[in-house]
Amino acid sequence: MKIKFDEQQYQIEAVNSIVDIFEGQSVKVSNFSVGTGHILGQQQTELGVGNKLELSEQEVLENIQKIQLQNHLKKSTTIQDWNFTVEMETGTGKTYVYTRSIFELNKKYGFSKFVIVVPSVAIREGVYKSFQMTAEHFNELYPGQYCHYFIYDSSKLERVREFATSNDIEVMIMNIDAFKKNENLINQERDAMNGKRPIEFIQETNPIVIIDEPQSVDNTEKAKEAIVSLNPLCKLRYSATHRETYNLMYKLDPVDAYEKRLVKKIEVLSVNSDDDHNDPYIKLINVSNKSGYKATIELDEKKKNGTVKRVRKQIDPNKKNNLFLLSGERDLYQGYVLSGIDCYPGNESIEFENGKILGLGDVIGGMNDDLLKRYQIRETIRTHLDKEIKLVHKGIKVLSLFFIDKVANYRIYNEDGTWGLGKYAKMFEEEYTKLIKLPKYQTLFKEDSYLTNFDVSEVHGGYFSQDKKGRFKDSRTTKDGSLRSNKDDESFFELIMKKKEELLSFDTPLRFIFSHSALKEGWDNPNVFQICTLVETKDTFTKRQKIGRGLRLPVNNDGRRVYDENDNILSVVANESYEVFADSLQKEMEEETGVKFGYITQQVFAPITYKDENDKEQTLGYEKSERMFKYLLEKNYIDKKGKVKESLKQDLANEKFSVPEEFKSIKEDVERVIKKSIKKLPVFNGKDKINIGLNKEVLLGDEFKQLWDKIKFKTTFSVDLDSEKLINESVLEIKKIDSFRSRKVKRENALLKVEQSGVTGEGRTMRVYEALEEERRLPDILRYLQEQTNLKRRTLVDILIKSERLEDFKKNPQAFMEAVMKIINREKRKLIIDGIKYERIGEHEYYEQSLFENEELVGYMKANAVQVDNTKSVYNYIKYDSETEKTFAEKLNNDEDVKLFIKLPGSFVIDTPLGNYNPDWAILIEKDGIEKLFFVIETKGSTEQEDLRLREDGKITCGRKHFAALESGVKYDVANSYEQLKENV
């Protein structure tokens, strides 16, 4: 099966953005032979045929500026050493674009000598494979233009002479390490080449040098010198992640690629264990030797209320070194006393007195790593099979890719030459065999007949380097995790590229690929729909490298690209939440591409269209966009880097934003672009801001005094607790608790959205599995409950034994302890409330009216404040906390029977065993024009007992008893609507 290549408009635009640089160059076909010495073309040198540029530097610069204007890019002012940059997101066909540019440059201007320089063997082999795959396509598009492409090989230097002397298009593919050192053979004089250095033959051709991934190619002075040594006519630079953008000619950034659906959508499938706090969890975040040795760790800390939370703490070997104390005296951390900190680069770690050593980023006490990896493998297979059900009948083969860091985890070789399955291969075969037996996947065997007779051992395979005996071997890596390749790796890359199209065929049973994590660049496959990283050491993969192996749009069994965005979803199986993954991906995009989420760039307004005085549609263009940017800068709406300031957000929200006269016709478009570039606007509208004023006439009036005298007095309370009832009620409630499960592994998938405002995730589904294989260490439950409930050990033992639930304690100790603690404390609170008694303190303990004078309030109309009658309340506005309160205030205000109502200030509180309680309203209602009724009202969305939290319910009970103890005639009640209040009048 061969992949078919379509005409993509954005790729044609990228090609033309380079080809048009040489507009005005006349076409001259070079055709001569070194042997004859006859010049039948544009340029002959001593050693061969070369490219010749006829245009002046100024003419080329004018062409550059014209193209940049069309593409809404910043205008160049110099030729910048003949460097021209194309920025294209991974998976959008960068190699195709520069290959097609080669043919176009030859067709239009006769340029025929090209050198492609790449950073690594992996990318070199990928480029060569791309030339092979597109050969037939370009032969059809450019008939008669023969292209000879080859990989530079220092053992075959005669090819360099052929490159120099040929009349056809010549493309030499080489990695930077092949010619950047003086000792490279290409830089040595050779007898077979008449005493010349091979590089001289290249220099004489004045080649157009194409640099693939320049941020990794000419990133040192030595590499830059090596590029110059090729004597290039110009340098064309292609990447998704440029560090330097000389003469940017075309830009397709990640946001453009995702919004235009040019690559797969990204779904993050999060597989991680919940934090059940049953093990001594410790994670090393960082170490430092500045101002003394210290380290930052994550651990589980017991809070005062008995719950356990994951927190960060700084530790040092001298004072803060005992994790038992730092964790709130959790028994699990006994023995974890810091004894040393190592800050040596590459060896950052901490050591405890019990001998445990923790490296940077490593974790003690999380779920068993192999168990978590098994769940990752299982969910990758499950997602793969789900996609097959959907895509197989459309002729699309689904592939999954696992990255591992050791061959031994996939295949084990014995001394006698035989081999067996490594642990991940075993896990895969076990999980795959289980899953394919599920009823939902039977159509793959029966109706689709896709998996018929495919043995489990045939559906997965290893993509690893091989030694001379054909055995898989680990690839060597540098400190940053990148590949340090050798001949074995090179032969492997040749093999992997040859299999690229073979893998897409349904005739090939291989669907799950295990590969070395070092092989993270230079190869991908359009039908990779799942990527899972099973790396045990520090993961050097960036998020962009992971997704880069599967971003390209898939092909069907006819070799045609598939453009259905409902099918084109890449699932990344991660052991972190999708929020964390999305956040990391966004940061990488900002660091690597220069895309700034929440920033405004100088060219951001350039694509806006408008109609000129002749009613012709025009685009705003870079220069006018730059003027708009400068205006925002002058108005102090943005900083010099384009970061949006709060003033711009406020003026947009308050509809105060204005633009200069020349942009008034497109003001709405400008606002739309700005809003798209910033993350979110304020919740409140500044136009609605009001200062809430005090109505002193009401505050000093007789009706307020009557109402206030009814409610102002303070009380004290006492409690009588029934211990036997506490035991019985607690046992009863503990027996009702749902069964406890072992630690859960959560599997959540979310679709990532890459927009100008940022990378966000939209959750789709979540599944939870029980990790039955784990064995747990049991903590001291009596000590824990005694600390959290203040009950005697004898009472706690009675409760635990009578509950008959101690088997659940073994399954999930921390969850069981917390559940029991909460039940006991809840039952204790109930009994406290039942047995509470309030007494009025006396005539001299009460709240002053000055509570209202001292409270400064600010509200927002339409958001949290409603205007009321100046004669009926102590404030001209009521600030509300909910829609229920808002409606209640409006109806109080409109009711003629209500003579006065007060939203009680936050400092008016009733003391309760559950904390301070602040009632909502004090109301004076006149009945039949004669009788005055005084109410204190608590408004709730529902008055059903089960709808109120126990703590609130307890406070309300205390409120009833408090106001009853005042014996002032005030009635306390709870109402979920104004109508309910009136029914009780």
Side-chain angles (χ1 to χ4, degrees), residues 71-89:
N71 291 343
H72 315 303
L73 299 170
K74 185 176 181 180
K75 188 169 74 174
S76 297
T77 54
T78 66
I79 208 77
Q80 297 183 53
D81 199 27
W82 296 88
N83 284 285
F84 306 114
T85 299
V86 172
E87 182 179 312
M88 294 181 72
E89 174 61 351

Side-chain angles (χ1 to χ4, degrees), residues 131 221 253 261 378 395 469 498 604 626 743 759 766 815 837 869 896 926-927 935 971:
F131 268 84
E221 284 305 313
D253 64 28
R261 303 291 181 251
R378 180 187 301 168
K469 295 180 181 178
K498 284 174 185 173
V604 74
E626 190 176 24
R743 185 175 358 203
V759 180
M766 189 182 84
K837 292 180 181 176
D869 189 332
E896 292 181 358
E926 192 172 77
K927 185 177 181 182
F935 290 88
K971 183 179 179 182

Side-chain angles (χ1 to χ4, degrees), residues 518-663:
L519 313 175
K520 54 193 171 190
E521 60 180 15
W523 74 282
D524 56 21
N525 192 294
N527 286 27
V528 168
F529 283 89
Q530 287 74 230
I531 292 175
C532 177
T533 308
L534 303 170
V535 175
E536 294 180 338
T537 54
K538 187 179 178 182
D539 190 358
T540 58
F541 254 135
T542 67
K543 302 293 183 284
R544 297 197 78 214
Q545 284 171 331
K546 284 177 184 174
I547 64 176
R549 308 286 62 81
L551 271 185
R552 206 175 299 277
L553 296 181
V555 297
N556 60 23
N557 52 355
D558 293 325
R560 297 283 179 194
R561 291 278 173 205
V562 177
Y563 296 101
D564 188 340
E565 63 179 89
N566 296 311
D567 295 335
N568 296 343
I569 299 173
L570 173 66
S571 298
V572 181
V573 182
N575 58 359
E576 60 196 338
S577 71
Y578 67 83
E579 294 94 341
V580 171
F581 188 97
D583 187 51
S584 300
L585 179 62
Q586 178 173 312
K587 286 177 182 173
E588 286 176 14
M589 285 178 172
E590 288 181 329
E591 290 169 3
E592 295 178 1
T593 69
V595 170
K596 288 290 185 183
F597 297 101
Y599 281 69
I600 289 171
T601 61
Q602 290 185 339
Q603 71 269 18
V604 74
F605 305 107
I608 292 175
T609 57
Y610 66 96
K611 289 191 176 178
D612 62 17
E613 60 274 11
N614 299 319
D615 208 34
K616 286 187 178 179
E617 195 170 85
Q618 306 280 354
T619 55
L620 196 64
Y622 182 82
E623 290 185 1
K624 287 184 179 178
S625 178
E626 190 176 24
R627 289 208 293 274
M628 187 67 221
F629 180 89
K630 286 180 179 176
Y631 167 77
L632 296 175
L633 191 60
E634 288 165 6
K635 292 281 287 184
N636 203 31
Y637 281 144
I638 57 175
D639 65 16
K640 289 180 181 178
K641 293 181 179 178
K643 187 176 182 180
V644 173
K645 294 187 177 181
E646 198 63 32
S647 56
L648 177 54
K649 296 179 184 179
Q650 291 289 351
D651 281 2
L652 280 170
N654 299 338
E655 298 176 9
K656 290 182 180 179
F657 177 72
S658 61
V659 295
E661 187 66 34
E662 68 170 313
F663 299 110

Side-chain angles (χ1 to χ4, degrees), residues 434-545:
K434 285 180 196 171
L435 283 169
I436 60 172
K437 291 176 182 175
L438 296 178
K440 69 181 289 190
Y441 300 125
Q442 293 313 299
T443 58
L444 293 171
F445 296 88
K446 295 169 185 174
E447 293 174 28
D448 296 314
S449 300
Y450 171 47
L451 300 180
T452 304
N453 299 323
F454 278 4
D455 184 82
V456 64
S457 63
E458 294 179 339
V459 300
H460 69 98
Y463 269 28
F464 304 100
S465 298
Q466 297 181 11
D467 61 19
K468 291 174 183 176
K469 295 180 181 178
R471 295 183 299 189
F472 292 157
K473 54 171 281 190
D474 286 322
S475 294
R476 295 168 61 223
T477 58
T478 60
K479 282 185 179 179
D480 66 359
S482 57
L483 183 69
R484 184 185 283 127
S485 61
N486 56 25
K487 287 291 182 185
D488 290 335
D489 293 309
E490 291 182 30
S491 61
F492 159 69
F493 279 118
E494 287 179 26
L495 178 66
I496 204 174
M497 294 308 165
K498 284 174 185 173
K499 286 186 176 180
K500 187 169 185 175
E501 289 165 302
E502 185 183 313
L503 262 178
L504 298 171
S505 169
F506 284 114
D507 294 330
T508 303
L510 182 61
R511 292 141 59 220
F512 297 89
I513 302 162
F514 285 79
S515 183
H516 199 287
S517 58
L519 313 175
K520 54 193 171 190
E521 60 180 15
W523 74 282
D524 56 21
N525 192 294
N527 286 27
V528 168
F529 283 89
Q530 287 74 230
I531 292 175
C532 177
T533 308
L534 303 170
V535 175
E536 294 180 338
T537 54
K538 187 179 178 182
D539 190 358
T540 58
F541 254 135
T542 67
K543 302 293 183 284
R544 297 197 78 214
Q545 284 171 331

Side-chain angles (χ1 to χ4, degrees), residues 35 201 205 210 367 381 388 424-425 427 465 497 533 558 560 637 731 739 793 832 882 894 952:
F201 285 81
T205 66
I210 295 170
M367 177 175 277
I381 299 168
E388 284 183 330
Y424 293 154
M427 288 179 195
S465 298
M497 294 308 165
T533 308
D558 293 325
R560 297 283 179 194
Y637 281 144
V731 167
S739 295
R793 289 174 76 91
I832 286 171
S882 66
N894 295 331
E952 287 183 344

Side-chain angles (χ1 to χ4, degrees), residues 21 156 175 201 303 338 353 376 395 436 479 515 612 677 706 746-747 765 800 845 926 941 978:
I21 291 172
K156 298 175 182 176
N175 51 308
F201 285 81
K303 299 295 184 180
L338 184 70
E353 288 182 0
Q376 283 184 264
I436 60 172
K479 282 185 179 179
S515 183
D612 62 17
S677 298
Q706 288 176 47
K746 285 184 255 182
R747 175 252 205 223
T765 61
L800 291 172
E845 289 291 326
E926 192 172 77
Y978 185 68

Side-chain angles (χ1 to χ4, degrees), residues 739-893:
S739 295
F740 282 81
R741 292 184 169 190
S742 300
R743 185 175 358 203
K744 296 183 288 290
V745 175
K746 285 184 255 182
R747 175 252 205 223
E748 185 173 11
N749 68 313
L751 194 65
L752 291 195
K753 295 179 181 177
V754 182
E755 301 169 314
Q756 192 62 50
S757 59
V759 180
T760 57
E762 181 185 335
R764 288 186 154 194
T765 61
M766 189 182 84
R767 292 179 185 147
V768 179
Y769 306 102
E770 194 174 356
L772 297 170
E773 301 89 340
E774 275 197 299
E775 293 182 3
R776 316 314 300 263
R777 174 185 166 190
L778 298 178
D780 185 343
I781 187 172
L782 289 176
R783 181 186 170 198
Y784 172 85
L785 291 175
Q786 195 171 19
E787 287 176 352
Q788 300 306 318
T789 64
N790 293 316
L791 296 181
K792 294 177 181 177
R793 289 174 76 91
R794 186 178 67 250
T795 303
L796 293 170
V797 168
D798 277 354
I799 291 172
L800 291 172
I801 292 173
K802 288 178 180 178
S803 74
E804 300 175 345
R805 294 295 298 272
L806 283 171
E807 281 301 312
D808 286 303
F809 174 54
K810 296 176 184 176
K811 290 181 183 177
N812 195 326
Q814 186 63 35
F816 180 81
M817 290 194 304
E818 288 188 17
V820 171
M821 174 266 290
K822 287 174 183 175
I823 285 172
I824 293 172
N825 282 336
R826 185 171 71 231
E827 295 306 316
K828 196 167 81 170
R829 278 198 297 269
K830 282 183 186 176
L831 291 175
I832 286 171
I833 300 305
D834 289 344
I836 197 167
K837 292 180 181 176
Y838 276 88
E839 289 183 58
R840 181 166 149 178
I841 296 174
E843 295 295 320
H844 304 294
E845 289 291 326
Y846 57 83
Y847 286 106
E848 301 279 357
Q849 290 178 212
S850 58
L851 285 179
F852 295 93
E853 296 173 359
N854 296 335
E855 192 164 56
E856 292 184 13
L857 297 174
V858 172
Y860 291 83
M861 290 293 287
K862 302 177 189 173
N864 69 352
V866 60
Q867 192 169 14
V868 294
D869 189 332
N870 280 343
T871 65
K872 295 181 72 168
S873 188
V874 292
Y875 293 114
N876 57 347
Y877 288 86
I878 295 292
K879 188 175 179 182
Y880 56 85
D881 297 321
S882 66
E883 283 300 310
T884 302
E885 283 190 3
K886 178 189 177 186
T887 304
F888 203 84
E890 289 172 336
K891 292 188 175 181
L892 284 169
N893 189 54

